[in-house]
Amino acid sequence: MIVLGIETSCDETAVAVVEDDLIRSNLITAQIEIHRPFGGVVPELASRAHLRALNRGIAQATDAALINLRDIDAVAVTIGPGLIGALLVGVSAAKALALALDIPLIGVNHLEGHVESAFLERPELEPPVLALIVSGGHTMIVEMPEHGRFQILGSTIDDAAGEAFDKIARFMGLPFPGGPEIDRLARDGNPKSIRFPRAMLDDESYDFSMSGLKTAVIRWMREQQAGGHDFDPADVAASFQEAIVDVQVSKTIRAAQERGHRTIVVAGGVAANSRLRERMSAAGEENGFDVVVPSLQLCTDNGAMIAAAGMRRLANGESTPLDAAPNPNLALA
Ligand code: KG4
Ligand code: ZN
């Protein structure tokens, strides 16, 4: 079965062609340069950029997959959560294709797509899995007992992990998006040089909080500047990153132990973070878990994960009516 996957929930216009568990094409038109001068994603500009890029993206994705539109069996599209204008562009295009080609439309939850990227990476993988989803908009620990079913164990009570990376990077004068910049800078820094707070580490819940850490990092830098003390930004980046990663690794491992899971999936844009990847894999090995962290292109937003999630739902006999509306706050469970 060949599924076209369309993802336009935020600032990547992504289109992919997936055949069963094989990715035949996975193309992204990034909007970084458009949003960079503003230090973050400007929703209206994102919608307009999707509009300009999407038709070309679909043509390029089918060309790269060596197929015609007529070869597609279904079209999967992110229907939420995300920016409403951005979602509308992808959903409208997907509906038009489904109608014109007379094939099923499948609306996919963006976060489900992130988790499904692990199954694209490792086709032999089977649920149940425990997933840490860390992206620009979400930070949560969820259980997936079977494909398409989720139970949320914990989530952030304030900022998402990616948001915290982006805000600290912005304060440090690094360009948008800040996550990859902090990651890069941190490689030259000492993660033990500054002891930033590990929020909710000893808390029994599986929830996260980023705001205390964010405030602590900003206050520390301001104090150094006010006192005329020099500091190495790489040490700040490494210490901040270590504080976030510590809590994420420790809570995820504890959740897997307490809930009796064997497989842990790390998904979402922040799963591209080199320190999180390294520490989660090491912690998995140490504690006897199979930790699956998808390759970098499958961690950040992409169309293949949406096609993969859509294919699962289609195989379950599900499809989405053509009058379905995107939902910017669509819940996972
Ligand atoms: O999943 P994603 O591509 O989009 C959303 O669904 O939000 O995640 C984007 C987020 C951004 O906040 C970005 O800074 C962060 O993922 N990110 C990273 C890294 N690469 C992307 N954060 C830390 N380290 C990275 N290497
Ligand atoms: Zn995402």
Side-chain angles (χ1 to χ4, degrees):
M1 180 175 302
I2 298 182
V3 176
L4 182 81
I6 298 176
E7 153 61 43
T8 65
S9 68
C10 191
D11 61 340
E12 321 267 20
T13 312
V15 187
V17 174
V18 174
E19 181 169 13
D20 302 321
D21 46 36
L22 177 76
I23 300 173
R24 294 189 54 156
S25 65
N26 192 17
L27 304 184
I28 290 168
T29 312
Q31 304 179 5
I32 289 175
E33 298 309 326
I34 296 171
H35 302 292
R36 188 162 272 165
F38 304 94
V41 178
V42 182
E44 181 60 23
L45 295 181
S47 317
R48 287 168 190 269
H50 285 309
L51 211 48
R52 282 194 302 274
L54 188 52
N55 279 347
R56 195 178 53 233
I58 293 168
Q60 287 173 341
T62 48
D63 282 353
L66 305 175
I67 62 160
N68 294 314
L69 280 178
R70 293 258 163 231
D71 298 322
I72 298 168
D73 296 304
V75 51
V77 63
T78 303
I79 199 153
L83 302 169
I84 184 62
L87 288 166
L88 265 169
V89 176
V91 170
S92 306
K95 284 179 179 176
L97 277 174
L99 187 66
L101 299 169
D102 194 22
I103 54 175
L105 170 78
I106 309 141
V108 169
N109 184 304
H110 180 79
L111 302 174
E112 179 174 339
H114 273 306
V115 177
E116 283 295 334
S117 64
F119 294 84
L120 266 178
E121 183 80 33
R122 288 257 302 269
E124 79 289 356
L125 196 67
E126 296 275 357
V129 301
L130 179 97
L132 169 70
I133 306 176
V134 271
S135 72
H138 296 84
T139 297
M140 48 174 81
I141 296 179
V142 305
E143 286 179 320
M144 189 179 91
E146 56 189 70
H147 288 289
R149 278 219 305 128
F150 295 91
Q151 189 183 349
I152 298 174
L153 299 184
S155 49
T156 177
I157 58 169
D158 39 56
D159 286 353
E163 215 175 340
F165 270 98
D166 293 342
K167 285 180 179 170
I168 292 299
R170 190 172 178 175
F171 188 81
M172 294 176 78
L174 299 169
F176 166 84
E181 298 289 333
I182 298 252
D183 190 349
R184 211 168 299 132
L185 185 60
R187 279 173 213 163
D188 299 323
N190 175 2
K192 294 198 173 113
S193 55
I194 312 153
R195 181 74 192 173
F196 290 127
R198 270 68 175 156
M200 301 180 83
L201 184 63
D202 300 321
D203 179 284
E204 277 194 0
S205 77
Y206 301 122
D207 289 336
F208 299 92
S209 168
M210 308 289 157
S211 70
L213 170 61
K214 195 182 63 192
T215 312
V217 175
I218 292 175
R219 190 188 305 131
W220 187 90
M221 284 191 282
R222 284 205 174 119
E223 280 168 6
Q224 304 307 305
Q225 282 155 354
H229 308 299
D230 276 345
F231 62 87
D232 185 351
D235 286 340
V236 179
S239 301
F240 158 74
Q241 178 174 272
E242 201 68 4
I244 288 208
V245 169
D246 256 358
V247 181
Q248 286 177 358
V249 170
S250 141
K251 289 217 173 200
T252 306
I253 295 289
R254 183 165 61 79
Q257 283 166 339
E258 290 174 355
R259 307 282 303 180
H261 286 274
R262 300 201 45 204
T263 309
I264 297 173
V265 164
V266 189
V270 180
N273 183 267
S274 60
R275 189 65 180 150
L276 179 61
R277 299 169 79 84
E278 189 177 286
R279 294 273 315 274
M280 271 311 302
S281 301
E285 215 156 280
E286 206 170 290
N287 294 281
F289 295 108
D290 181 14
V291 173
V292 188
V293 196
S295 54
L296 292 181
Q297 313 87 279
L298 289 178
C299 283
T300 42
D301 291 348
N302 65 88
M305 69 184 197
I306 302 304
M311 190 142 7
R312 299 273 183 201
R313 292 208 167 255
L314 194 66
N316 249 354
E318 294 175 40
S319 66
T320 303
L322 285 180
D323 61 356
N327 179 354
N329 303 311
L330 187 64
L332 186 59

